[in-house]
Structure formats: structure tokens, C-alpha cells
Short mmCIF file of all heavy atoms in Angstrom, two decimals:
data_model
loop_
_atom_site.label_atom_id
_atom_site.label_comp_id
_atom_site.label_asym_id
_atom_site.label_seq_id
_atom_site.Cartn_x
_atom_site.Cartn_y
_atom_site.Cartn_z
N ASN A 1 121.60 104.04 122.26
CA ASN A 1 120.52 104.99 121.96
C ASN A 1 119.99 105.65 123.23
O ASN A 1 119.66 106.85 123.21
CB ASN A 1 119.38 104.28 121.22
CG ASN A 1 119.77 103.88 119.82
OD1 ASN A 1 120.60 104.53 119.18
ND2 ASN A 1 119.20 102.79 119.32
N PHE A 2 119.90 104.89 124.30
CA PHE A 2 119.48 105.47 125.58
C PHE A 2 120.43 106.59 126.00
O PHE A 2 120.00 107.68 126.41
CB PHE A 2 119.43 104.39 126.66
CG PHE A 2 119.20 104.93 128.06
CD1 PHE A 2 117.92 105.06 128.55
CD2 PHE A 2 120.27 105.31 128.87
CE1 PHE A 2 117.70 105.57 129.84
CE2 PHE A 2 120.07 105.82 130.14
CZ PHE A 2 118.77 105.95 130.63
N LEU A 3 121.72 106.34 125.88
CA LEU A 3 122.71 107.34 126.29
C LEU A 3 122.73 108.55 125.36
O LEU A 3 122.98 109.67 125.80
CB LEU A 3 124.10 106.70 126.37
CG LEU A 3 124.32 105.77 127.58
CD1 LEU A 3 125.65 105.05 127.47
CD2 LEU A 3 124.24 106.55 128.89
N VAL A 4 122.47 108.31 124.06
CA VAL A 4 122.38 109.45 123.13
C VAL A 4 121.26 110.39 123.57
O VAL A 4 121.44 111.62 123.64
CB VAL A 4 122.14 108.95 121.69
CG1 VAL A 4 121.78 110.12 120.78
CG2 VAL A 4 123.39 108.25 121.16
N ASN A 5 120.10 109.84 123.89
CA ASN A 5 118.96 110.66 124.33
C ASN A 5 119.24 111.32 125.67
O ASN A 5 118.90 112.49 125.88
CB ASN A 5 117.69 109.80 124.41
CG ASN A 5 117.23 109.33 123.05
OD1 ASN A 5 117.40 110.02 122.05
ND2 ASN A 5 116.64 108.14 122.99
N TRP A 6 119.86 110.56 126.58
CA TRP A 6 120.23 111.13 127.89
C TRP A 6 121.22 112.27 127.70
O TRP A 6 121.11 113.33 128.33
CB TRP A 6 120.83 110.04 128.76
CG TRP A 6 121.41 110.53 130.06
CD1 TRP A 6 120.74 110.81 131.21
CD2 TRP A 6 122.79 110.83 130.32
NE1 TRP A 6 121.60 111.25 132.19
CE2 TRP A 6 122.87 111.27 131.66
CE3 TRP A 6 123.95 110.76 129.57
CZ2 TRP A 6 124.08 111.64 132.25
CZ3 TRP A 6 125.15 111.12 130.16
CH2 TRP A 6 125.21 111.56 131.47
N GLY A 7 122.20 112.07 126.81
CA GLY A 7 123.21 113.09 126.58
C GLY A 7 122.64 114.36 126.01
O GLY A 7 123.11 115.47 126.35
N LYS A 8 121.64 114.26 125.15
CA LYS A 8 121.02 115.47 124.60
C LYS A 8 120.39 116.32 125.70
O LYS A 8 120.43 117.56 125.64
CB LYS A 8 119.96 115.07 123.57
CG LYS A 8 120.54 114.50 122.28
CD LYS A 8 119.43 114.06 121.33
CE LYS A 8 120.02 113.49 120.03
NZ LYS A 8 118.97 112.98 119.12
N LYS A 9 119.82 115.68 126.70
CA LYS A 9 119.20 116.40 127.81
C LYS A 9 120.24 117.00 128.75
O LYS A 9 120.02 118.06 129.36
CB LYS A 9 118.30 115.46 128.61
CG LYS A 9 117.15 114.87 127.81
CD LYS A 9 116.42 113.83 128.64
CE LYS A 9 115.35 113.10 127.82
NZ LYS A 9 114.70 112.03 128.61
N LYS A 10 121.41 116.33 128.85
CA LYS A 10 122.42 116.75 129.84
C LYS A 10 123.58 117.53 129.22
O LYS A 10 124.51 117.93 129.94
CB LYS A 10 122.99 115.52 130.54
CG LYS A 10 121.94 114.68 131.27
CD LYS A 10 121.32 115.42 132.43
CE LYS A 10 120.33 114.53 133.17
NZ LYS A 10 119.75 115.23 134.35
N GLY A 11 123.56 117.72 127.92
CA GLY A 11 124.66 118.43 127.28
C GLY A 11 125.92 117.60 127.15
O GLY A 11 127.04 118.13 127.19
N VAL A 12 125.74 116.29 126.96
CA VAL A 12 126.88 115.38 126.81
C VAL A 12 126.84 114.79 125.40
O VAL A 12 125.83 114.20 124.99
CB VAL A 12 126.81 114.23 127.86
CG1 VAL A 12 127.96 113.26 127.63
CG2 VAL A 12 126.85 114.79 129.27
N ASP A 13 127.92 114.96 124.66
CA ASP A 13 128.02 114.34 123.34
C ASP A 13 128.33 112.86 123.51
O ASP A 13 129.34 112.49 124.11
CB ASP A 13 129.15 114.99 122.52
CG ASP A 13 128.84 116.44 122.18
OD1 ASP A 13 127.66 116.75 121.97
OD2 ASP A 13 129.79 117.25 122.13
N VAL A 14 127.46 112.01 122.97
CA VAL A 14 127.68 110.56 123.04
C VAL A 14 128.15 110.08 121.68
O VAL A 14 127.44 110.22 120.68
CB VAL A 14 126.41 109.81 123.49
CG1 VAL A 14 126.67 108.31 123.54
CG2 VAL A 14 125.96 110.31 124.86
N LEU A 15 129.36 109.54 121.65
CA LEU A 15 130.03 109.18 120.40
C LEU A 15 130.20 107.67 120.31
O LEU A 15 130.33 106.97 121.31
CB LEU A 15 131.39 109.86 120.33
CG LEU A 15 131.40 111.36 120.65
CD1 LEU A 15 132.83 111.85 120.81
CD2 LEU A 15 130.68 112.13 119.56
N LYS A 16 130.22 107.19 119.08
CA LYS A 16 130.35 105.76 118.83
C LYS A 16 131.81 105.41 118.56
O LYS A 16 132.49 106.08 117.78
CB LYS A 16 129.50 105.37 117.62
CG LYS A 16 129.42 103.88 117.34
CD LYS A 16 128.67 103.61 116.05
CE LYS A 16 127.26 104.16 116.10
NZ LYS A 16 126.51 103.81 114.86
N THR A 17 132.31 104.36 119.23
CA THR A 17 133.67 103.89 118.95
C THR A 17 133.68 103.07 117.67
O THR A 17 132.74 102.32 117.40
CB THR A 17 134.22 103.03 120.09
OG1 THR A 17 133.37 101.88 120.25
CG2 THR A 17 134.26 103.80 121.40
N GLU A 18 134.72 103.23 116.89
CA GLU A 18 134.84 102.48 115.65
C GLU A 18 135.54 101.15 115.92
O GLU A 18 136.44 101.06 116.75
CB GLU A 18 135.64 103.28 114.62
CG GLU A 18 135.00 104.61 114.24
CD GLU A 18 133.66 104.44 113.56
OE1 GLU A 18 133.48 103.43 112.84
OE2 GLU A 18 132.77 105.30 113.75
N THR A 19 135.12 100.11 115.21
CA THR A 19 135.73 98.79 115.35
C THR A 19 137.15 98.82 114.79
O THR A 19 137.37 99.29 113.67
CB THR A 19 134.92 97.73 114.62
OG1 THR A 19 133.61 97.67 115.19
CG2 THR A 19 135.59 96.36 114.73
N PHE A 20 138.10 98.33 115.58
CA PHE A 20 139.50 98.29 115.14
C PHE A 20 139.83 96.86 114.75
O PHE A 20 139.65 95.93 115.54
CB PHE A 20 140.42 98.78 116.26
CG PHE A 20 141.86 98.86 115.86
CD1 PHE A 20 142.32 99.89 115.06
CD2 PHE A 20 142.78 97.89 116.27
CE1 PHE A 20 143.64 99.97 114.67
CE2 PHE A 20 144.10 97.96 115.90
CZ PHE A 20 144.54 99.01 115.10
N LYS A 21 140.32 96.67 113.52
CA LYS A 21 140.56 95.33 113.00
C LYS A 21 142.02 95.11 112.61
O LYS A 21 142.70 96.04 112.20
CB LYS A 21 139.67 95.06 111.78
CG LYS A 21 138.18 95.04 112.07
CD LYS A 21 137.40 94.71 110.81
CE LYS A 21 135.89 94.64 111.09
NZ LYS A 21 135.12 94.30 109.87
N ILE A 22 142.45 93.87 112.73
CA ILE A 22 143.73 93.41 112.18
C ILE A 22 143.43 92.13 111.41
O ILE A 22 142.79 91.21 111.95
CB ILE A 22 144.77 93.16 113.28
CG1 ILE A 22 145.20 94.48 113.93
CG2 ILE A 22 145.99 92.44 112.73
CD1 ILE A 22 146.23 94.32 115.04
N ASN A 23 143.87 92.06 110.16
CA ASN A 23 143.59 90.92 109.28
C ASN A 23 142.09 90.65 109.19
O ASN A 23 141.63 89.49 109.24
CB ASN A 23 144.33 89.67 109.78
CG ASN A 23 145.83 89.83 109.73
OD1 ASN A 23 146.36 90.55 108.89
ND2 ASN A 23 146.52 89.18 110.66
N ASP A 24 141.32 91.75 109.06
CA ASP A 24 139.86 91.69 108.88
C ASP A 24 139.12 91.08 110.05
O ASP A 24 137.95 90.68 109.92
CB ASP A 24 139.51 90.91 107.59
CG ASP A 24 139.95 91.63 106.34
OD1 ASP A 24 139.90 92.89 106.33
OD2 ASP A 24 140.34 90.96 105.37
N ARG A 25 139.77 91.02 111.20
CA ARG A 25 139.09 90.54 112.41
C ARG A 25 139.20 91.58 113.51
O ARG A 25 140.24 92.21 113.69
CB ARG A 25 139.71 89.22 112.91
CG ARG A 25 139.33 87.99 112.11
CD ARG A 25 139.84 86.75 112.83
NE ARG A 25 139.22 86.60 114.15
CZ ARG A 25 139.70 85.80 115.11
NH1 ARG A 25 140.83 85.13 114.91
NH2 ARG A 25 139.08 85.71 116.26
N ARG A 26 138.11 91.75 114.23
CA ARG A 26 138.08 92.73 115.31
C ARG A 26 139.09 92.37 116.39
O ARG A 26 139.18 91.22 116.81
CB ARG A 26 136.67 92.77 115.90
CG ARG A 26 136.50 93.72 117.08
CD ARG A 26 135.02 93.80 117.47
NE ARG A 26 134.82 94.59 118.65
CZ ARG A 26 134.73 94.11 119.89
NH1 ARG A 26 134.83 92.79 120.09
NH2 ARG A 26 134.55 94.91 120.92
N VAL A 27 139.84 93.36 116.83
CA VAL A 27 140.76 93.16 117.95
C VAL A 27 139.95 93.22 119.24
O VAL A 27 139.28 94.22 119.51
CB VAL A 27 141.87 94.23 117.97
CG1 VAL A 27 142.76 94.05 119.20
CG2 VAL A 27 142.70 94.15 116.70
N SER A 28 140.00 92.17 120.01
CA SER A 28 139.20 92.10 121.23
C SER A 28 139.91 91.28 122.28
O SER A 28 140.84 90.51 121.97
CB SER A 28 137.83 91.47 120.94
OG SER A 28 138.00 90.11 120.57
N SER A 29 139.47 91.43 123.52
CA SER A 29 140.03 90.62 124.60
C SER A 29 139.74 89.14 124.36
O SER A 29 140.57 88.28 124.67
CB SER A 29 139.46 91.06 125.95
OG SER A 29 139.80 92.41 126.23
N THR A 30 138.57 88.84 123.79
CA THR A 30 138.22 87.45 123.50
C THR A 30 139.20 86.84 122.50
O THR A 30 139.65 85.70 122.67
CB THR A 30 136.79 87.38 122.93
OG1 THR A 30 135.87 87.87 123.90
CG2 THR A 30 136.42 85.95 122.56
N ARG A 31 139.55 87.61 121.47
CA ARG A 31 140.49 87.11 120.46
C ARG A 31 141.86 86.86 121.07
O ARG A 31 142.54 85.88 120.73
CB ARG A 31 140.59 88.12 119.32
CG ARG A 31 141.48 87.68 118.17
CD ARG A 31 141.44 88.69 117.04
NE ARG A 31 142.47 88.41 116.04
CZ ARG A 31 142.74 89.19 115.00
NH1 ARG A 31 142.05 90.31 114.81
NH2 ARG A 31 143.69 88.87 114.14
N ILE A 32 142.28 87.71 121.99
CA ILE A 32 143.58 87.54 122.65
C ILE A 32 143.55 86.31 123.56
O ILE A 32 144.50 85.53 123.59
CB ILE A 32 143.95 88.80 123.45
CG1 ILE A 32 144.18 89.97 122.48
CG2 ILE A 32 145.21 88.56 124.29
CD1 ILE A 32 144.27 91.31 123.15
N ARG A 33 142.45 86.12 124.28
CA ARG A 33 142.34 84.92 125.12
C ARG A 33 142.44 83.66 124.26
O ARG A 33 143.08 82.69 124.65
CB ARG A 33 140.99 84.94 125.87
CG ARG A 33 140.89 86.02 126.93
CD ARG A 33 139.60 85.88 127.72
NE ARG A 33 139.33 87.08 128.49
CZ ARG A 33 138.41 87.98 128.17
NH1 ARG A 33 137.65 87.82 127.10
NH2 ARG A 33 138.24 89.06 128.91
N GLU A 34 141.79 83.68 123.11
CA GLU A 34 141.85 82.52 122.22
C GLU A 34 143.30 82.26 121.78
O GLU A 34 143.74 81.11 121.74
CB GLU A 34 140.97 82.77 120.99
CG GLU A 34 139.48 82.75 121.28
CD GLU A 34 138.66 83.14 120.07
OE1 GLU A 34 139.26 83.51 119.03
OE2 GLU A 34 137.42 83.08 120.16
N ALA A 35 144.03 83.33 121.44
CA ALA A 35 145.42 83.17 121.02
C ALA A 35 146.25 82.57 122.14
O ALA A 35 147.07 81.67 121.91
CB ALA A 35 145.99 84.53 120.59
N LEU A 36 146.05 83.03 123.36
CA LEU A 36 146.83 82.54 124.49
C LEU A 36 146.48 81.09 124.81
O LEU A 36 147.36 80.28 125.11
CB LEU A 36 146.60 83.43 125.72
CG LEU A 36 147.14 84.86 125.61
CD1 LEU A 36 146.68 85.70 126.79
CD2 LEU A 36 148.65 84.86 125.51
N ILE A 37 145.19 80.76 124.76
CA ILE A 37 144.78 79.38 125.02
C ILE A 37 145.37 78.45 123.97
O ILE A 37 145.74 77.31 124.27
CB ILE A 37 143.24 79.29 125.03
CG1 ILE A 37 142.70 79.99 126.29
CG2 ILE A 37 142.77 77.84 124.99
CD1 ILE A 37 141.19 80.17 126.30
N ASN A 38 145.52 78.95 122.74
CA ASN A 38 146.10 78.15 121.65
C ASN A 38 147.62 78.30 121.57
O ASN A 38 148.23 77.84 120.60
CB ASN A 38 145.46 78.57 120.32
CG ASN A 38 144.00 78.18 120.22
OD1 ASN A 38 143.60 77.15 120.73
ND2 ASN A 38 143.20 79.03 119.60
N ASN A 39 148.21 78.94 122.57
CA ASN A 39 149.67 79.10 122.66
C ASN A 39 150.26 79.89 121.49
O ASN A 39 151.43 79.69 121.13
CB ASN A 39 150.35 77.73 122.77
CG ASN A 39 149.75 76.88 123.86
OD1 ASN A 39 149.59 77.33 124.99
ND2 ASN A 39 149.36 75.66 123.53
N ASP A 40 149.46 80.76 120.92
CA ASP A 40 149.93 81.61 119.82
C ASP A 40 150.37 82.95 120.42
O ASP A 40 149.65 83.95 120.36
CB ASP A 40 148.82 81.81 118.79
CG ASP A 40 149.34 82.46 117.50
OD1 ASP A 40 150.46 83.01 117.54
OD2 ASP A 40 148.62 82.42 116.49
N PHE A 41 151.57 82.95 120.99
CA PHE A 41 152.05 84.14 121.69
C PHE A 41 152.44 85.26 120.72
O PHE A 41 152.46 86.43 121.09
CB PHE A 41 153.21 83.78 122.61
CG PHE A 41 152.80 82.87 123.73
CD1 PHE A 41 153.09 81.52 123.71
CD2 PHE A 41 152.09 83.38 124.80
CE1 PHE A 41 152.68 80.69 124.74
CE2 PHE A 41 151.67 82.56 125.84
CZ PHE A 41 151.97 81.20 125.81
N GLU A 42 152.76 84.91 119.48
CA GLU A 42 153.05 85.93 118.48
C GLU A 42 151.79 86.71 118.11
O GLU A 42 151.81 87.93 117.98
CB GLU A 42 153.68 85.31 117.23
CG GLU A 42 155.15 84.94 117.40
CD GLU A 42 156.00 86.15 117.78
OE1 GLU A 42 155.87 87.20 117.13
OE2 GLU A 42 156.79 86.02 118.74
N GLU A 43 150.69 85.98 117.95
CA GLU A 43 149.41 86.63 117.66
C GLU A 43 149.01 87.53 118.83
O GLU A 43 148.58 88.68 118.63
CB GLU A 43 148.33 85.57 117.42
CG GLU A 43 146.90 86.08 117.39
CD GLU A 43 146.47 86.66 116.06
OE1 GLU A 43 147.34 86.83 115.18
OE2 GLU A 43 145.28 86.94 115.88
N ALA A 44 149.14 87.02 120.05
CA ALA A 44 148.80 87.82 121.23
C ALA A 44 149.67 89.07 121.30
O ALA A 44 149.19 90.16 121.65
CB ALA A 44 148.96 86.98 122.50
N LYS A 45 150.94 88.92 120.97
CA LYS A 45 151.87 90.06 121.00
C LYS A 45 151.43 91.14 120.02
O LYS A 45 151.50 92.34 120.34
CB LYS A 45 153.29 89.58 120.67
CG LYS A 45 154.35 90.67 120.71
CD LYS A 45 155.73 90.07 120.42
CE LYS A 45 156.81 91.14 120.46
NZ LYS A 45 158.15 90.56 120.19
N ILE A 46 150.99 90.74 118.83
CA ILE A 46 150.53 91.71 117.83
C ILE A 46 149.29 92.44 118.33
O ILE A 46 149.19 93.67 118.23
CB ILE A 46 150.25 90.99 116.50
CG1 ILE A 46 151.56 90.49 115.88
CG2 ILE A 46 149.52 91.92 115.52
CD1 ILE A 46 151.35 89.56 114.69
N LEU A 47 148.34 91.69 118.88
CA LEU A 47 147.08 92.28 119.31
C LEU A 47 147.25 93.17 120.55
O LEU A 47 146.56 94.18 120.70
CB LEU A 47 146.06 91.18 119.60
CG LEU A 47 145.72 90.25 118.43
CD1 LEU A 47 144.77 89.16 118.88
CD2 LEU A 47 145.14 91.03 117.27
#
């Protein structure tokens, strides 16, 4: 919200990124770390 207001003053469009999911779970670096720690290299490969 701070950046949206700042952008209005500076002529910068501030846009929201959409959550990207696989199997109803957000794809994230944390999820990949969990897969690697659990030796699930196939899951990590997909993500």
C-alpha cells in the first residue's frame, strides 16, 4: 500500500503479483528447500 501511494505521486504503476500454485500449494523457495531437505528431487525438479 505504501508503494501504491508512492507510485501515484511518481507516475509508477504498482502491480500485484499473483500466487502461482502447483497441486494447490504455492510454489516458493521455502517449498523447494523442504523438498531438497527431504531428498525429494523429483518434487524439486517440478518446482
Side-chain angles (χ1 to χ4, degrees):
N1 291 330
F2 172 91
L3 286 173
V4 169
N5 293 328
W6 173 82
K8 289 177 180 177
K9 298 174 186 176
K10 301 294 183 178
V12 177
D13 294 326
V14 179
L15 311 169
K16 186 186 301 184
T17 60
E18 298 297 327
T19 299
F20 184 76
K21 295 182 178 181
I22 291 180
N23 297 330
D24 293 325
R25 284 188 62 197
R26 178 173 175 264
V27 176
S28 66
S29 298
T30 298
R31 183 176 170 186
I32 295 168
R33 292 186 194 105
E34 289 174 356
L36 293 172
I37 290 171
N38 292 325
N39 309 310
D40 191 344
F41 294 104
E42 283 302 312
E43 168 83 350
K45 182 178 180 179
I46 292 170
L47 301 176

